[in-house]
Amino acid sequence: MRKEFEALYANKTWDIVELPTRKKHIGCKWVYKIKYRADGSVERYKASLIVVVVKQGWSMFQLDVNNAFFHGDLHEEVYMKLPQGSSGNIVILAVYVDDIILTGNNLVKISALKEFLDNEFKIKDLGLLHYFLGIEVNASPTGVFLNQRKFVLDLLKEYNCLEVTHVVSPLDLNFKLKADSGELFDHPERYKSLIGKLLFLTHTRPNLSFGVQHLSQFLQAPWLPHMTDALNLLRYLKGTIDVGLFYSNSPDCTLTTYSDSDWAACPDTRKFVSGFCVFLGDCLVSWKSKKQPIVSFSSAEAEYRALSKLVAELTWLTRLLLDLFVHISYPVSIFCDNQAVIHIAKNPMLHESTKHIEVDCHFIRKKLADGLIQLFHVTTSNQLADIFTKPLTGMLHQSFLSKLKVFSPSNLKGGVGLSEYLALGPIRQS
């Protein structure tokens, strides 16, 4: 708390004044948090001063100058109640920082930037990135490996699954869950908590995306079969504890994408599930699995609408990469396993059977004509987006994981085991 106060005072975040007549102050409180390392040991104790209530429709903000600060000017005077450990009423002032663009890996410039930020905002230099928001970051000479091993272990322990036998697929292939099957689960809050934590795991485990989106459809009223399948997913995690996502150092910046759908997948509504994945070089940078809000009349329509979602993502992603000065080769290759979809996209004639998807037709055809994308057919056995739209057999599931660069550290080139890999430490700034 003392360090927090020192940082706030050093940055002249507020002025202590008497509360003016007819003015009201807003509340504040201290929030305490223990920061842990990836191995579970305590890194530091943290105290943050936050605003409890903000009036006039303003967003809630956190007064933690060591980690976060305002970007912009606050033109109104805001009066905050005196925090514990200080005296008087406070006018909160905004802190404004000019944009700083730093490229390359020049350690001298990085050091100068750290010194500047510390002078302005009193930052904590934690060194090279190891562990951030539950994600473990480990660098090697060939790239960066991200996983959530500690989070998985804590999750298995919380749900008493440390000793269960593992399975090879996230979801049971024999049947699809319905909204009202079996008996209601007595502890729905426990189901909701589990799904929320599994959703967090999808940051480094894209192979869980389909299973988590499928299970999340039953948050309102989970039944026993829903919880059974959620626990089955934990059994899958038991056998893949240290699996994560690998980003190589390859300079290849070619965008390659896959699009797929599962027509009438939902047994309750017959709505379809769409999925896509985007590679930058050989690195998976974007993926999605989502049940769409409409019912499609055919598998071709479902595939076409799924394709439109991917094209929209590519439109945004290519602009982002341009802003980051990443050179992209055009057109971007999209692989689809439905020949009818490719024909509809390339055919300038709108037929009677495609009038109901006319908007998506115009959007995709425009991007095709602009040279942003090009379409290719891919066999179902090589359709990587399948993992985001349906359950797969264990063998096919494992085959797709290696292509998505989702694997255990023992699969890295050279056969380096987990303990040896972690012992390498972060080779470069991530």
Side-chain angles (χ1 to χ4, degrees), residues 110-156:
I110 291 175
S111 201
L113 175 58
K114 288 181 179 178
E115 183 178 355
F116 168 77
L117 293 175
D118 185 53
N119 290 336
E120 294 292 325
F121 308 109
K122 304 302 177 188
I123 65 168
K124 291 184 179 74
D125 186 358
L126 302 179
L128 294 174
L129 183 60
H130 292 276
Y131 188 67
F132 180 71
L133 296 178
I135 298 176
E136 301 174 37
V137 182
N138 296 281
S140 75
T142 56
V144 177
F145 182 72
L146 308 178
N147 74 345
Q148 294 167 274
R149 182 174 179 272
K150 179 181 181 299
F151 188 85
V152 172
L153 287 171
D154 291 343
L155 187 59
L156 294 175

Side-chain angles (χ1 to χ4, degrees), residues 61-172:
F61 51 87
Q62 181 176 349
L63 295 179
D64 183 8
V65 181
N66 285 317
N67 294 289
F69 51 87
F70 290 114
H71 187 81
D73 294 311
L74 183 64
H75 300 290
E76 302 87 355
E77 287 184 341
V78 180
Y79 294 88
M80 184 181 76
K81 185 179 180 180
L82 174 72
Q84 290 179 312
S86 184
S87 60
N89 288 304
I90 298 169
V91 180
I92 304 176
L93 305 177
V95 179
Y96 179 79
V97 181
D98 288 328
D99 289 337
I100 299 174
I101 299 176
L102 181 64
T103 59
N105 57 359
N106 190 312
L107 295 180
V108 175
K109 290 184 178 180
I110 291 175
S111 201
L113 175 58
K114 288 181 179 178
E115 183 178 355
F116 168 77
L117 293 175
D118 185 53
N119 290 336
E120 294 292 325
F121 308 109
K122 304 302 177 188
I123 65 168
K124 291 184 179 74
D125 186 358
L126 302 179
L128 294 174
L129 183 60
H130 292 276
Y131 188 67
F132 180 71
L133 296 178
I135 298 176
E136 301 174 37
V137 182
N138 296 281
S140 75
T142 56
V144 177
F145 182 72
L146 308 178
N147 74 345
Q148 294 167 274
R149 182 174 179 272
K150 179 181 181 299
F151 188 85
V152 172
L153 287 171
D154 291 343
L155 187 59
L156 294 175
K157 182 178 180 181
E158 179 181 354
Y159 286 85
N160 301 315
C161 291
L162 282 173
E163 304 301 327
V164 299
T165 56
H166 71 272
V167 294
V168 295
S169 296
L171 287 182
D172 190 345

Side-chain angles (χ1 to χ4, degrees), residues 256-262 272-279 286-288 292 299-314 333-339 341-342 364 373-380 382-390:
T256 308
T257 66
Y258 294 80
S259 172
D260 189 43
S261 75
D262 190 10
F272 70 97
V273 175
S274 67
F276 65 73
C277 54
V278 181
F279 292 86
S286 181
W287 61 89
K288 191 160 192 173
Q292 296 299 322
S299 59
E301 180 189 347
E303 294 272 4
Y304 205 86
R305 292 191 184 278
L307 179 61
S308 71
K309 304 298 181 184
L310 172 56
V311 175
E313 175 79 0
L314 285 176
S333 298
I334 298 179
F335 291 91
C336 174
D337 59 6
N338 190 302
Q339 291 278 19
V341 167
I342 299 175
I364 295 175
I373 62 172
Q374 58 181 343
L375 298 172
F376 295 98
H377 181 259
V378 64
T379 60
T380 301
N382 291 316
Q383 175 53 280
L384 299 186
D386 263 1
I387 202 171
F388 300 102
T389 60
K390 57 183 72 70

Side-chain angles (χ1 to χ4, degrees), residues 214-235:
H214 187 54
L215 293 170
S216 66
Q217 298 173 32
F218 313 108
L219 291 175
Q220 288 294 100
W223 294 59
L224 281 175
H226 305 150
M227 188 63 184
T228 300
D229 262 30
L231 292 176
N232 184 79
L233 207 153
L234 290 183
R235 293 178 61 194

